[in-house]
Amino acid sequence: MKSHAPDSFASIPDLCAAFCEGVSAVPTPCGLAITVPFSYFGENTLTVYAIKNTDGTMRLEDSGETISTLESTGLDLTKGSRKEIIRNFCLESNVLFDEDNFLFKSVNFLPNQLSENIILFSEFMIGIQRVSFLTRRNVEDIFREEVINAVISHFHGEADVVVDAKKISEIFPDTRADIVVQSKELPPLAVFLGTSETKALEALFLWSELKGEPKNQGNVMLVLNQMRPHAVTTKTLQRASQRFPVSYFNDNAPADVLDPMNKLVFAQ
């Protein structure tokens, strides 16, 4: 087919050359290592692997480093609600996620279908970088969700838990905390999630107001995300640590946060 594009445009052969020039395939013991000229996490090329199955079909896999690369940006995608981000992305792209080996795999296909499948799988691998662009917001939202769920579950039937409470006490009705926990006839605990410097400063401000009251109107606690401990400056963190409990939440060890909460809520 003859091209009728204006002379100012690249010809079809030139366009084909631009796409094909950076493509290479190197034999491996299991199949092929295929490199395509598309930017991938700061690299100039993307490499995927064509694996020969014992039944004569083939599949495509990533290098196994994609998950660790995403986690290096601050987002843990290997467990809990975080894993759902990856699962949904795979479902939309008809790609399988091997959760045991942290591998992305294509569905099986015949060898003569390699070309069309390498395009689709490369498109998925390029697109998955978008997850890292949303890292900060996702980390904050997931961290908040995990802490709230852990607190509600832990204190169920033992204390009242209110999320996004405006009222910490009768004296300070306009101070908003992320979580307020209160047992019967004991001062409430205002929990601030340290997703930013501002949140930590709000916790310090409330603590200073509560300290100035003749009666103990409440306690304050700051919870930081162990995945992003530097969301709060060192200076502010030092000030907070000298005044009230500061804990780091890890969904593998929630007791690091819940145990000090118990002491404040139940006046132990």
Side-chain angles (χ1 to χ4, degrees), residues 1-243:
M1 180 177 178
K2 187 176 180 180
S3 171
H4 297 285
D7 293 340
S8 58
F9 287 86
S11 66
I12 290 179
D14 288 339
L15 290 172
C16 292
F19 279 97
C20 298
E21 185 176 356
V23 177
S24 65
V26 178
T28 69
C30 298
L32 293 171
I34 303 171
T35 299
V36 292
F38 299 120
S39 177
Y40 184 67
F41 287 111
E43 301 292 332
N44 293 325
T45 58
L46 163 68
T47 299
V48 297
Y49 297 87
I51 308 298
K52 297 177 182 177
N53 297 318
T54 55
D55 62 359
T57 62
M58 302 186 74
R59 70 180 185 275
L60 294 167
E61 294 182 353
D62 74 322
S63 65
E65 297 179 356
T66 305
I67 289 295
S68 60
T69 302
L70 286 170
E71 287 185 326
S72 70
T73 68
L75 185 60
D76 183 358
L77 295 167
T78 63
K79 52 188 177 293
S81 55
R82 302 169 185 180
K83 192 184 291 184
E84 290 303 312
I85 298 171
I86 289 297
R87 285 175 175 165
N88 291 335
F89 195 76
C90 289
L91 185 62
E92 293 173 0
S93 305
N94 196 29
V95 170
L96 308 175
F97 178 33
D98 182 343
E99 298 179 10
D100 294 328
N101 298 304
F102 301 139
L103 283 173
F104 293 107
K105 301 179 180 180
S106 72
V107 295
N108 294 338
F109 54 85
L110 297 175
N112 62 4
Q113 298 173 317
L114 175 59
S115 297
E116 59 191 83
N117 279 278
I118 192 68
I119 292 173
L120 293 173
F121 193 74
S122 297
E123 181 182 10
F124 167 80
M125 295 304 299
I126 294 166
I128 205 171
Q129 295 174 96
R130 296 198 301 268
V131 176
S132 67
F133 301 154
L134 302 174
T135 291
R136 182 172 182 178
R137 180 62 184 273
N138 282 338
V139 168
E140 290 179 0
D141 289 348
I142 293 170
F143 162 64
R144 175 181 168 83
E145 177 185 341
E146 289 178 343
V147 175
I148 290 173
N149 289 341
V151 172
I152 290 175
S153 176
H154 179 74
F155 288 103
H156 179 71
E158 301 291 334
D160 295 327
V161 177
V162 180
V163 178
D164 292 329
K166 265 187 155 183
K167 188 164 152 182
I168 308 302
S169 70
E170 296 295 336
I171 297 177
F172 307 113
D174 298 322
T175 302
R176 182 182 292 276
D178 293 285
I179 309 169
V180 172
V181 186
Q182 185 169 20
S183 59
K184 292 181 179 180
E185 300 179 357
L186 290 173
L189 168 64
V191 180
F192 291 83
L193 303 182
T195 54
S196 66
E197 177 78 356
T198 300
K199 278 290 184 181
L201 292 174
E202 288 176 355
L204 281 165
F205 178 73
L206 177 61
W207 179 88
S208 65
E209 288 196 316
L210 291 172
K211 184 182 179 184
E213 289 301 313
K215 293 183 179 181
N216 183 10
Q217 296 294 326
N219 296 303
V220 177
M221 182 174 179
L222 178 65
V223 178
L224 298 177
N225 186 353
Q226 195 170 57
M227 290 290 294
R228 291 178 60 87
H230 301 301
V232 179
T233 64
T234 301
K235 182 178 179 180
T236 299
L237 187 56
Q238 288 175 343
R239 290 176 58 200
S241 300
Q242 293 168 357
R243 291 163 174 79

